Amino acid sequence: AQSVTQLGSHVSVSEGALVLLRCNYSSSVPPYLFWYVQYPNQGLQLLLKYTSAATLVKGINGFEAEFKKSETSFHLTKPSAHMSDAAEYFCAVKGGNYQLIWGAGTKLIIKP
Amino acid sequence: DVKVTQSSRYLVKRTGEKVFLECVQDMDHENMFWYRQDPGLGLRLIYFSYDVKMKEKGDIPEGYSVSREKKERFSLILESASTNQTSMYLCASLRPVANTGELFFGEGSRLTVL
């Protein structure tokens, strides 16, 4: 069965510091992986996705993620955090019938 | 621009009441989903629909039903609301892209059952 584990329910970084949100997956088939972001009082929106074309995936708002098969990881990074990045971030792996299997989410807190 | 609209942002209901949560998308998407979001649990799939009048149970369908009479509208029904159904409910529709697709979400309906 496929699963997703996000390490850390809350991550706090200072403005301007590196953002690193961790995601590990379990899949018996080559995975399709996603990061979605949920800003306060809003629905989720797609940040980026891995579809096997390239291991380093660039998304919106300066975020990127690297697929590492050997580590079964798909960590999300951003070189310099901005106050507007405060949100909850969800990692997901594609299951059957276009369904996604979701991680528990990580709340990113940005300190001024 | 893509839009998924959930009719009610906030609802307060009493135990035993019937609750309707409405979702409308304007993208002519075939696949639509209802999720429940609870802190620390991520998103859990309640039901999804891949065509008009077609539906499939997700991971937590108990206590819920759905209706898809028109392609653009997908409704979630709580026949008899209970306090453990207090939660955030998210509707999404899917734009298929190759083998993956992209989900578009509504802003959510926060339901409190007293």
Side-chain angles (χ1 to χ4, degrees):
Chain A
Q2 292 161 302
S3 65
V4 173
T5 302
Q6 290 184 241
L7 296 176
S9 60
H10 293 77
V11 170
S12 181
V13 302
S14 297
E15 192 173 17
L18 171 72
V19 175
L20 171 60
L21 303 182
R22 300 178 187 272
C23 173
N24 288 90
Y25 69 91
S26 172
S27 178
S28 58
V29 298
Y32 294 113
L33 294 158
F34 305 80
W35 277 100
Y36 278 78
V37 60
Q38 185 179 32
Y39 296 105
N41 298 315
Q42 295 186 26
L44 282 73
Q45 64 183 88
L46 181 66
L47 202 54
L48 50 79
K49 64 180 178 182
Y50 167 75
T51 58
S52 76
T55 56
L56 184 62
V57 182
K58 294 189 184 298
I60 60 173
N61 301 335
F63 283 92
E64 61 183 36
E66 186 172 9
F67 172 70
K68 291 188 176 180
K69 184 179 179 181
S70 60
E71 298 177 9
T72 60
S73 69
F74 190 55
H75 300 333
L76 182 71
T77 60
K78 182 174 180 177
S80 177
H82 191 274
M83 294 301 291
S84 61
D85 295 326
E88 190 160 17
Y89 293 80
F90 292 91
C91 182
V93 63
K94 179 178 177 289
N97 292 330
Y98 289 114
Q99 293 183 49
L100 295 185
I101 293 116
W102 298 86
T106 298
K107 279 194 176 169
L108 178 62
I109 300 159
I110 311 295
K111 296 179 291 186
Chain B
D1 206 9
V2 167
K3 191 130 182 92
V4 177
T5 302
Q6 294 183 231
S7 55
S8 303
R9 292 294 304 275
Y10 301 94
L11 304 94
V12 179
K13 299 292 182 181
R14 297 204 177 274
T15 301
E17 281 192 86
K18 191 169 186 176
V19 181
F20 292 88
L21 300 179
E22 303 282 338
C23 175
V24 177
Q25 50 100 356
D26 64 356
M27 296 160 284
D28 202 37
H29 290 163
E30 292 181 343
N31 293 274
M32 295 187 73
F33 304 79
W34 274 106
Y35 289 96
R36 173 173 171 161
Q37 181 181 13
D38 298 289
L41 297 179
L43 277 68
R44 293 180 291 169
L45 182 64
I46 304 172
Y47 268 96
F48 70 98
S49 170
Y50 51 90
D51 203 348
V52 175
K53 297 190 186 295
M54 306 302 284
K55 60 187 179 186
E56 292 282 346
K57 292 180 180 179
D59 300 318
I60 53 164
E62 296 79 17
Y64 304 94
S65 62
V66 291
S67 173
R68 185 113 182 255
E69 296 296 318
K70 293 185 177 182
K71 194 173 188 180
E72 67 270 19
R73 188 180 299 270
F74 191 35
S75 302
L76 180 68
I77 303 154
L78 288 67
E79 294 290 342
S80 178
S82 63
T83 54
N84 62 13
Q85 293 178 308
T86 292
S87 187
M88 171 69 87
Y89 292 89
L90 294 170
C91 174
S93 70
L94 178 83
R95 177 169 69 190
V97 177
N99 293 322
T100 57
E102 179 178 353
L103 286 172
F104 292 88
F105 284 84
E107 293 186 317
S109 298
R110 185 168 292 281
L111 172 66
T112 301
V113 183
L114 302 176

